[in-house]
Amino acid sequence: GQQLNQSPQSMFIQEGEDVSMNCTSSSIFNTWLWYKQDPGEGPVLLIALYKAGELTSNGRLTAQFGITRKDSFLNISASIPSDVGIYFCAGNYGGSQGNLIFGKGTKLSVKP
Amino acid sequence: DGGITQSPKYLFRKEGQNVTLSCEQNLNHDAMYWYRQDPGQGLRLIYYSQIVNDFQKGDIAEGYSVSREKKESFPLTVTSAQKNPTAFYLCASSIRADGELFFGEGSRLTVL
């Protein structure tokens, strides 16, 4: 079946540092989505990518849809304590959200 | 305000009991979804519905049932047939089948 590998599993960084995480798939995806989840809450959409090569920013966040359509990365610049949480990538390999697959998440911890 | 409302936030159930989780959205979205989240895992799709009176099984539908009698509502019943029901359940909606997902705040079910 479809597989999505997200790395790293966890990160411990100092406030002010930049962060990078990525997802790779075994298949070509049409869409990449990046979410952030705080403890006990639902995921919140950060960035949506729809075209290969697309580079999109949302404040200090930047995400790219890989040229091969099998990978995506998310960068966070100048991290702050409220960046703490779990970041999920999700990829869609078909026209229906029934084909949306989630990575297992990257847990980010930020030391003030 | 527009959004997705899940209730209850926390639920305790004895083994052998059915329980129904509520999901209501006022975003006028056509598609709605139920996901299950376990610690350290990505989100796994239980059921989804792209239109009223129609729904499809996801990857882990066994032991669950849903209905979609109204566009705004997509309740999930966790039946006694679900062998390991303790989990965090997330409801989501999207404006169309391949659009971005927006999540509710989740319902945590604990079986005693």
Side-chain angles (χ1 to χ4, degrees):
Chain A
Q2 304 293 335
Q3 291 189 343
L4 195 54
N5 296 312
Q6 183 171 353
S7 64
Q9 284 187 328
S10 61
M11 302 180 73
F12 296 86
I13 63 170
Q14 199 76 33
E15 182 178 358
E17 289 183 355
D18 296 343
V19 172
S20 185
M21 60 192 77
N22 69 86
C23 282
T24 59
S25 70
S26 55
S27 305
I28 290 174
F29 280 0
N30 298 326
T31 305
W32 284 99
L33 305 172
W34 284 95
Y35 289 87
K36 182 192 178 204
Q37 185 177 30
D38 292 326
E41 302 293 328
V44 174
L45 181 66
L46 299 174
I47 293 178
L49 303 162
Y50 292 102
K51 288 174 58 177
E54 180 180 357
L55 183 71
T56 297
S57 294
N58 178 7
R60 293 179 295 106
L61 279 60
T62 302
Q64 185 160 30
F65 193 142
I67 291 291
T68 65
R69 296 172 64 190
K70 291 185 177 182
D71 64 326
S72 176
F73 71 76
L74 175 70
N75 288 343
I76 305 173
S77 62
S79 59
I80 58 178
S82 62
D83 290 335
V84 165
I86 302 178
Y87 292 79
F88 289 99
C89 64
N92 191 326
Y93 60 89
S96 164
Q97 291 292 26
N99 304 127
L100 189 67
I101 302 174
F102 282 82
K104 293 187 177 181
T106 295
K107 185 175 182 179
L108 179 63
S109 300
V110 179
K111 287 193 283 188
Chain B
D1 285 347
I4 302 171
T5 302
Q6 289 187 239
S7 62
K9 180 76 171 174
Y10 300 95
L11 187 61
F12 296 89
R13 178 196 106 176
K14 293 181 180 179
E15 280 192 22
Q17 289 181 335
N18 292 356
V19 63
T20 297
L21 307 179
S22 169
C23 179
E24 303 279 331
Q25 55 99 357
N26 60 5
L27 300 168
N28 200 31
H29 285 176
D30 286 322
M32 297 187 73
Y33 312 83
W34 275 103
Y35 287 88
R36 171 181 171 139
Q37 185 176 31
D38 295 285
Q41 299 295 316
L43 279 66
R44 292 183 292 168
L45 183 63
I46 304 173
Y47 268 98
Y48 65 103
S49 168
Q50 297 184 7
I51 196 170
V52 173
N53 291 324
D54 186 52
F55 48 82
Q56 307 295 327
K57 291 182 179 180
D59 300 319
I60 54 165
E62 185 176 351
Y64 300 98
S65 66
V66 294
S67 63
R68 186 84 188 275
E69 298 177 1
K70 298 187 299 181
K71 187 176 184 177
E72 304 78 28
S73 179
F74 192 41
L76 173 74
T77 297
V78 185
T79 75
S80 55
Q82 168 52 231
K83 296 178 181 177
N84 185 20
T86 294
F88 191 52
Y89 291 88
L90 287 160
C91 180
S93 70
S94 63
I95 195 165
R96 60 181 189 273
D98 62 347
E100 301 152 12
L101 255 60
F102 294 89
F103 287 88
E105 293 191 343
S107 293
R108 184 167 300 280
L109 171 64
T110 303
V111 175
L112 304 172

